């Protein structure tokens, strides 16, 4: 992918996701047309060897992104322009993404797909991915609670080593470059047994990654990441179905609304996840 491909990549990203979401009865999911370009430019900086386009008759038909992080890695987003779908372009793109992943020595490659998207599931299954976890695409409205829990504080640059150690220890993912990016774009909260990233853009807040060893730790981080938001902010996150106690607490205490299901897929080794892990779609490196 070169810089001159980015405008077309962004257009395809918007059209491909809006098309499939609208065909499944949801509203358009990419309403800001700059999002695709922001993602592509960030990933061209972060993972220059992992950004690829697929062409058909010389025209850019789609794009994909690989994020190698040593023994683990992430893939996505993967998009093919609606007019080119169903003709093998997605397969050619994924074959190249997994070839580069193997070449980089990634033993465990992860991605998140919308469970309603049977074409994407089939494409990933045929290129070696296995569905390992169910994630609930969900949101709640912030309530402007008065105080953040005492044991949680905002991370300073000097704490990034601690954040790296927590993820490494609980998830086996080593990604200091992502923490530096997230520290620049959002805020990182640190608890004795975990950490949480939040990115606030206007009235929308995205939570994650969240990593914690206990339910109390996970809930304290969610509280710390939402208490100072204006009431009724739209707070979005991917809740692992496996963490049923966290899910119940969010349903009961926060009025969580579940919108759809996603599948966390892994190609290669998989030992499960210890503790509470809320993954994110940006950066898609784990
Ligand atoms: C998902 C997407 C990338 C697939 O790209 P595509 O170019 O349409 O896919 P292809 O034509 O290469 O087909 C993919 C494979 O799935 C198979 N397939 C498709 N639908 C299937 C089904 N219902 N059951 C079984 N296999 C199916 C195809 O036969 C093909 O397998 P093959 O290579 O062994 O023949 C594309 O549809 C897209 O961009 N969708 C919208 C955005 C999106 O959801 N991206 C994924 C985000 S996680």
């Amino acid at each position: 992918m070169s810089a001159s491909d980015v405008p077309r990549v962004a257009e395809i990203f918007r059209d491909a996701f809006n098309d499939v979401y609208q065909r499944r009865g949801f509203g358009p999911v990419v309403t800001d047309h700059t999002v695709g370009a922001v993602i592509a430019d960030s990933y061209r900086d972060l993972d220059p060897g992992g950004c690829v386009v697929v062409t058909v008759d010389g025209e850019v038909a789609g794009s994909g992104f690989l994020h190698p992080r040593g023994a683990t890695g992430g893939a996505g987003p993967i998009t093919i322009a609606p007019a080119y779908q169903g003709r093998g372009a997605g397969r050619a793109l994924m074959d190249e993404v997994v070839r580069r992943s193997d070449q980089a020595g990634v033993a465990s490659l992860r991605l998140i797909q919308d469970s309603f998207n049977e074409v994407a599931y089939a494409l990933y299954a045929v290129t070696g991915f296995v569905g390992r976890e169910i994630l609930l695409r969900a949101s709640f409205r912030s309530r402007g609670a008065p105080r953040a829990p005492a044991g949680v504080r905002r991370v300073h640059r000097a704490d990034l080593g601690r954040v790296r150690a927590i993820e490494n220890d609980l998830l086996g993912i080593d990604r200091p470059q992502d923490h530096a990016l997230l520290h620049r774009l959002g805020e990182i909260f640190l608890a004795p047994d975990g950490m949480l990233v939040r990115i606030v853009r206007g009235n929308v807040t995205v939570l994650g990654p969240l990593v914690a060893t206990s339910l109390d730790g996970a809930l304290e981080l969610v509280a710390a990441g939402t208490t100072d938001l204006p009431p009724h902010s739209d707070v979005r996150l991917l809740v692992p179905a496996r963490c049923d106690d966290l899910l119940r607490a969010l349903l009961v205490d926060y009025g969580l609304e579940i919108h759809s299901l996603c599948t966390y897929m892994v190609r290669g080794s998989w030992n499960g996840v210890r503790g509470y892990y809320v993954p994110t779609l940006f950066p898609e490196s784990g």
Side-chain angles (χ1 to χ4, degrees), residues 16-17 78-80 85-88 90-91 112-113 117-118 122 124:
F17 278 114
I78 308 292
T79 50
I80 300 294
Q85 288 174 13
R87 294 158 52 179
R91 177 67 187 272
I112 296 168
Q113 66 95 225
N117 191 339
E118 77 284 358
Y124 300 141

Side-chain angles (χ1 to χ4, degrees), residues 66 68-73 98-109:
L66 170 71
R69 298 291 180 269
T72 71
V98 299
R99 191 190 67 76
R100 287 181 187 222
S101 174
D102 290 344
Q103 200 174 41
V106 174
S108 181
L109 182 63

Side-chain angles (χ1 to χ4, degrees), residues 10-11 13-14 30-38:
E11 204 170 65
F13 173 86
R14 179 198 61 199
V30 186
T31 46
D32 177 353
H33 72 281
T34 64
V35 168
V38 170

